[in-house]
Amino acid sequence: MSTLRFFAIKETLNRKPVEIIEGKRRSELFGENVFNKETMRQSLTKDAFESVNNAIEKGTKIDRGIANQIAQSMKDWALSKGVTHYTHWFQPLTGTTAEKHDAFFETIDGGGAIEKLGGSQLVQQEPDASSFPNGGIRNTFEARGYTAWDPTSPAFIFGKTLCVPTVFVSYTGEALDNKTPLLRALNAIDNASVAVCKYFDKNVKKVNASLGWEQEYFLIDSALVSSRPDIQLTGRTLLGHSSAKGQQLDDHYFGTIPSRAMSYMRDLEIECMLLGIPVKTRHNEVAPNQFELAPIYEEANLAVDHNALLMDVMNKVAERHNFKVLFHEKPFKGVNGSGKHNNWSLSTNTGVNLLSPGKTPMSNLQFLTFFINTIKAVHDNEELVRATIASASNDHRLGANEAPPAIISVFIGEQLTNVLKELENVTNGKLSPKEKTDLKLNVVGKIPEILLDNTDRNRTSPFAFTGNKFEFRAVGSLANCANPMTLINSIVAKQLIEFKEEVDVLIKKKELKKDEAIFNVLREYIKKSSNILFEGNGYGEAWEKEAEKRGLSNNKTTPKALKAKVSEKTIAMYGDLGVMNRVEVQSRYDIEMEEYILRIQIEARVLGDLARNHIVPTAIKYQNTLINNVQGLKEIYEADFNRVAHAQLELIEDISKRVDIINTTVTKMINKRKEANQLSDLETKATMYCEEVIPMLEEIRYHCDKLELLVDDELWPLPKYRELLFTT
Ligand code: ADP
Ligand code: MG
């Protein structure tokens, strides 16, 4: 009997939910471990507080003297909560988070010691980070990177450590992290949106992008994971036959949350409250053991940090509950994958959501302006949109016929489709008074504040308008939201800048009134971007054909998709906006290509090992039992033995055949990897992994999964799908 598998199952069956005691109300816990505005207001001098506030609101610099004061208060606050260390917390290009802990503790002359955190330590740190991926940037200029405080994201305490959110840049200022380009993109969208808002309201001074993410994940018992090297090392099952019962009955979706998972979620939510992450909803997802967590939306930079922090916290809390969290986009074949919807909108300092229809025709025209410009931005950059969410793991979702497809399209609902149709017919040039009134009363004025048909959303769309926000659904569950947010805010900023230029030209040169000019430009945008709008079933084959006719890209794999990230168009767009320069763009492409290669390489190694050292020996052991059985039958039945040993003989043959295929394919796969590893060009190498190694992974898996159906269950070494998915 395979001891580890059965031991793990037994462990899992004996588990009890961890008891969670909720003393204080959640609202009282909220933000308790955050050095937020309220805490700062109480602990800083007026000058210092204003300086931080200006840095947050206007992006002004904080001078050294004030930084010292802030560091002092931050340290005192942290010490009062039993904290011993501090760290600069940042998001390197690995997509995870990183930290380097230092003690506050410092010795002083005379043998004593004090707790210290100076302004310079707060504002700048030099982590020994030479092994973070940097795509060659750091080597070219300077051996080291620097972290610097981002005051727009407040410091927080996690465990016994004060964490200071920081950017991570090279000595020469190039971004080595995900946050720096995001902050620049948020600045770009702010400026571009404010300029356009001025057509409608002179009081608009600042526009913030907001993000509400929805995090999907699987919870699997840690003992079961320990007996699955593939889950442990790659985050997904590289083999495993589908369970007789999967998600066909849809009985998990919004069903009762299993008690162990419920206790995990409550524990997690309490941690989130302390950290000021405003989580609000939790529910089961479509697949067994799949769940979702979503917060109230926040300013985009903060929301990005909160999502990255949440993923860390989820892992840590899971340990207490004997769970492992799977963030992989497709941990189980044939079972729903996990995504991370990014709900995005723009809001002004005057309290208006620019993607929400308003009460008056003028506010609706403002809404339409932002709405149509976003559609145009996605249309003009659809390939880059796809590229931004490409990864080895997300490839299993995109283009795999069951999640958002690799084709980017925008869903807007019937009501708005009709509005755009009307606007397409607006007269070229000056509008007659009658047409203007008509537009205001019957088209723009008729957009209701709440768009009803959008509640019945098209779940198959990768980019959907959902009433007062766009929902970018194709983002993978493992992704750092900084990337999709940098993208959307950049392409829309670029689009708004162009829009303003075009409208201004019509006003000045053609002497059109402001609203006439806006209608004229929007009309052209609707015509130009109609190809990206799609209301039908995005998962259907018919759409693939239709999209091809429309000239939309359908890049199903990461090596193909990523190319759009380094096109001259992309480099110009990010460069013009000041979001990333050529070197920064190129280095990110290199890092992502390398990461793709490494991930497939690891999967290939793990599967090679599993197939040869776990599956093949098990199959042979079972085959030997069959052989003994056949020999016994031959003794008893002699010449007639064929009649009674018929099934066994077939099984013996089948096992031999599959063992042979597995063995030869593993050898071929190893050789192919060796060949690929000789290549120095990243694109050719990634393509070889993608087009030649991955099909071998699939071939090996296919035969291992067939053996799983043949071999005695008692001998099978790895927990099966039904055990992984239905034991909690
Ligand atoms: P679902 O997609 O599961 O049906 P909802 O559409 O109700 O869920 O909301 C999903 C998320 O959208 C929530 O996390 C919420 O915080 C976020 N959200 C709501 N309004 C906005 C907004 N104006 N900007 C950004 N995110 C928003
Ligand atoms: Mg959603």
Side-chain angles (χ1 to χ4, degrees):
M1 190 189 258
S2 144
T3 44
L4 193 51
R5 171 175 161 223
F6 291 100
F7 174 77
I9 294 170
K10 204 165 148 202
E11 281 278 299
T12 307
L13 290 173
N14 284 334
R15 303 244 202 248
K16 298 272 171 297
V18 176
E19 201 187 334
I20 305 298
I21 299 157
E22 291 202 48
K24 284 192 188 171
R25 283 193 198 175
R26 302 243 171 136
S27 57
E28 290 173 284
L29 295 179
F30 189 74
E32 201 173 287
N33 289 345
V34 185
F35 196 64
N36 54 21
K37 266 198 190 169
E38 219 21 70
T39 322
M40 283 197 260
R41 204 193 303 275
Q42 284 163 19
S43 58
L44 296 179
T45 61
K46 201 159 170 278
D47 279 358
F49 178 71
E50 255 166 33
S51 168
V52 181
N53 211 27
N54 281 339
I56 298 172
E57 305 283 326
K58 300 186 192 129
T60 50
K61 287 230 154 66
I62 296 174
D63 77 49
R64 266 295 140 101
I66 301 262
N68 277 330
Q69 257 197 58
I70 299 166
Q72 176 83 23
S73 308
M74 213 186 257
K75 184 204 69 189
D76 291 344
W77 169 79
L79 288 176
S80 77
K81 290 180 168 286
V83 165
T84 52
H85 286 65
Y86 68 92
T87 180
H88 276 195
W89 183 81
F90 57 103
Q91 297 165 41
L93 297 170
T94 45
T96 54
T97 62
E99 41 199 75
K100 176 195 169 225
H101 295 204
D102 278 309
F104 288 125
F105 173 87
E106 261 179 40
T107 50
I108 48 173
D109 283 352
I114 53 161
E115 260 78 30
K116 191 175 168 214
L117 177 70
S120 54
Q121 283 141 313
L122 174 65
V123 175
Q124 201 169 73
Q125 279 271 304
E126 191 188 349
D128 182 13
S130 41
S131 55
F132 286 113
N134 57 69
I137 292 183
R138 208 147 6 96
N139 303 345
T140 333
F141 301 95
E142 232 308 279
R144 298 207 140 160
Y146 290 88
T147 52
W149 183 34
D150 162 25
T152 60
S153 183
F156 58 89
I157 296 169
F158 192 44
K160 293 275 173 233
T161 306
L162 170 70
C163 303
V164 181
T166 56
V167 293
F168 182 35
V169 292
S170 75
Y171 180 68
T172 45
E174 258 101 5
L176 297 172
D177 65 352
N178 287 313
K179 188 193 263 274
T180 308
L182 173 68
L183 291 173
R184 295 175 187 154
L186 293 173
N187 187 41
I189 190 82
D190 177 15
N191 293 335
S193 304
V194 168
V196 170
C197 281
K198 297 271 191 221
Y199 288 136
F200 306 95
D201 180 359
K202 294 262 181 282
N203 295 317
V204 173
K205 300 267 179 316
K206 171 132 181 109
V207 170
N208 270 330
S210 29
L211 163 66
W213 39 261
E214 303 165 58
Q215 179 72 54
E216 291 183 329
Y217 61 99
F218 280 82
L219 283 179
I220 305 296
D221 190 275
S222 54
L224 293 172
V225 171
S226 302
S227 49
R228 292 280 318 213
D230 49 353
I231 303 184
Q232 249 176 348
L233 300 174
T234 72
R236 76 173 180 111
T237 54
L238 296 174
L239 40 79
H241 200 280
S242 58
S243 157
K245 178 181 185 288
Q247 61 189 52
Q248 308 94 319
L249 300 175
D250 269 341
D251 48 357
H252 191 254
Y253 196 40
F254 286 117
T256 322
I257 299 174
S259 51
R260 276 183 68 204
M262 179 59 115
S263 134
Y264 167 75
M265 289 180 191
R266 285 179 50 199
D267 202 357
L268 173 65
E269 286 160 4
I270 294 169
E271 290 288 346
C272 286
M273 286 299 115
L274 292 169
L275 290 165
I277 307 174
V279 292
K280 193 157 163 72
T281 60
R282 57 171 175 220
H283 60 79
N284 285 354
E285 262 303 324
V286 179
N289 282 353
Q290 191 189 26
F291 307 95
E292 182 187 291
L293 181 76
I296 296 169
Y297 67 93
E298 300 176 280
E299 186 279 320
N301 176 40
L302 189 58
V304 166
D305 279 3
H306 277 165
N307 181 253
L309 180 57
L310 173 93
M311 291 170 81
D312 287 350
V313 178
M314 283 176 82
N315 284 330
K316 288 194 176 139
V317 173
E319 285 170 19
R320 299 205 278 266
H321 295 254
N322 296 300
F323 277 132
K324 180 153 171 68
V325 187
L326 306 187
F327 288 113
H328 194 286
E329 281 82 354
K330 194 79 180 169
F332 302 97
K333 192 177 168 189
V335 171
N336 244 53
S338 300
K340 177 147 57 195
H341 295 179
N342 275 214
N343 294 274
W344 170 85
S345 69
L346 295 169
S347 61
T348 66
N349 62 311
T350 54
V352 174
N353 175 353
L354 295 168
L355 288 170
S356 184
K359 287 195 175 70
T360 63
M362 209 51 186
S363 62
N364 275 346
L365 185 55
Q366 174 170 275
F367 155 69
L368 285 171
T369 297
F370 283 88
F371 176 68
I372 294 166
N373 271 290
T374 305
I375 295 172
K376 172 96 171 9
V378 175
H379 170 267
D380 290 359
N381 297 280
E382 50 97 10
E383 236 179 328
L384 180 61
V385 174
R386 160 67 180 112
T388 306
I389 47 166
S391 70
S393 51
N394 211 16
D395 278 0
H396 293 280
R397 280 175 77 229
L398 305 177
N401 272 339
E402 51 172 293
I407 308 159
I408 298 299
S409 63
V410 181
F411 168 86
I412 59 171
E414 198 184 321
Q415 278 173 304
L416 289 167
T417 303
N418 291 337
V419 172
L420 296 198
K421 269 195 198 125
E422 302 259 11
L423 291 180
E424 229 181 298
N425 297 322
V426 167
T427 305
N428 204 343
K430 281 196 191 299
L431 313 184
S432 70
K434 182 176 174 305
E435 188 177 7
K436 265 198 192 177
T437 319
D438 217 39
L439 274 173
K440 283 189 182 158
L441 284 182
N442 296 326
V443 182
V444 179
K446 278 253 170 85
I447 304 173
E449 260 186 277
I450 311 274
L451 289 155
L452 285 178
D453 76 320
N454 275 295
T455 51
D456 175 34
R457 303 150 195 183
N458 183 336
R459 293 264 157 202
T460 63
S461 175
F463 203 95
F465 183 71
T466 50
N468 58 0
K469 59 191 187 288
F470 277 97
E471 184 167 348
F472 188 11
R473 300 220 186 91
V475 182
S477 44
L478 253 176
N480 181 316
C481 299
N483 295 320
M485 281 297 111
T486 301
L487 165 86
I488 296 181
N489 290 297
S490 299
I491 60 177
V492 176
K494 169 95 172 135
Q495 179 52 53
L496 289 169
I497 292 169
E498 272 171 37
F499 170 78
K500 175 138 194 333
E501 281 166 7
E502 289 180 54
V503 170
D504 286 348
V505 165
L506 291 186
I507 294 174
K508 277 199 199 101
K509 299 224 169 106
K510 298 259 158 93
E511 294 179 349
L512 295 192
K513 290 264 162 36
K514 186 175 66 187
D515 50 356
E516 284 172 340
I518 293 173
F519 275 121
N520 268 277
V521 176
L522 292 182
R523 181 195 59 234
E524 292 311 301
Y525 284 3
I526 295 169
K527 285 187 192 159
K528 280 183 196 152
S529 42
S530 65
N531 264 348
I532 199 80
L533 298 176
F534 180 63
E535 303 283 301
N537 175 13
Y539 297 179
E541 257 177 60
W543 171 229
E544 282 209 39
K545 294 205 182 94
E546 164 71 15
E548 199 183 336
K549 264 194 235 148
R550 293 189 189 188
L552 297 175
S553 68
N554 185 3
N555 295 323
K556 293 192 174 183
T557 65
T558 296
K560 280 209 181 97
L562 281 182
K563 278 190 228 168
K565 281 199 138 179
V566 281
S567 70
E568 284 305 315
K569 184 173 151 198
T570 302
I571 290 170
M573 190 264 300
Y574 281 129
D576 291 349
L577 292 170
V579 171
M580 283 186 269
N581 63 26
R582 184 180 286 273
V583 179
E584 289 168 320
V585 170
Q586 182 69 43
S587 66
R588 276 161 174 71
Y589 168 86
D590 290 352
I591 289 168
E592 281 165 38
M593 273 295 196
E594 252 158 30
E595 176 166 350
Y596 177 85
I597 294 165
L598 290 173
R599 295 233 176 246
I600 308 297
Q601 197 177 73
I602 293 168
E603 288 192 350
R605 282 192 184 140
V606 175
L607 184 61
D609 166 59
L610 279 177
R612 276 212 172 130
N613 302 323
H614 298 237
I615 307 303
V616 167
T618 306
I620 292 176
K621 206 186 273 175
Y622 178 56
Q623 197 185 37
N624 282 336
T625 315
L626 293 170
I627 292 170
N628 285 339
N629 175 269
V630 171
Q631 278 168 342
L633 290 173
K634 197 170 180 185
E635 255 171 51
I636 302 172
Y637 289 89
E638 295 178 354
D640 196 27
F641 97 100
N642 239 324
R643 184 175 53 85
V644 281
H646 179 74
Q648 291 87 320
L649 287 167
E650 248 179 38
L651 274 172
I652 291 169
E653 286 231 356
D654 200 7
I655 290 172
S656 283
K657 188 183 85 193
R658 296 193 192 277
V659 163
D660 181 33
I661 299 177
I662 291 171
N663 202 43
T664 42
T665 315
V666 170
T667 306
K668 268 199 270 173
M669 181 175 73
I670 293 170
N671 290 335
K672 190 49 80 181
R673 277 196 338 248
K674 282 187 188 149
E675 190 186 331
N677 294 344
Q678 297 299 318
L679 301 169
S680 53
D681 177 62
L682 279 177
E683 194 187 320
T684 338
K685 188 165 165 182
T687 306
M688 187 174 275
Y689 268 99
C690 177
E691 289 173 7
E692 299 184 60
V693 175
I694 289 181
M696 293 189 211
L697 283 174
E698 281 159 12
E699 169 92 356
I700 296 166
R701 175 184 190 142
Y702 177 80
H703 292 284
C704 289
D705 289 356
K706 288 288 180 206
L707 286 174
E708 184 185 322
L709 293 183
L710 299 180
V711 170
D712 182 358
D713 183 60
E714 292 251 313
L715 296 176
W716 198 254
L718 305 171
K720 296 185 173 179
Y721 266 32
R722 64 163 188 274
E723 290 149 359
L724 293 169
L725 289 167
F726 292 98
T727 331
T728 37

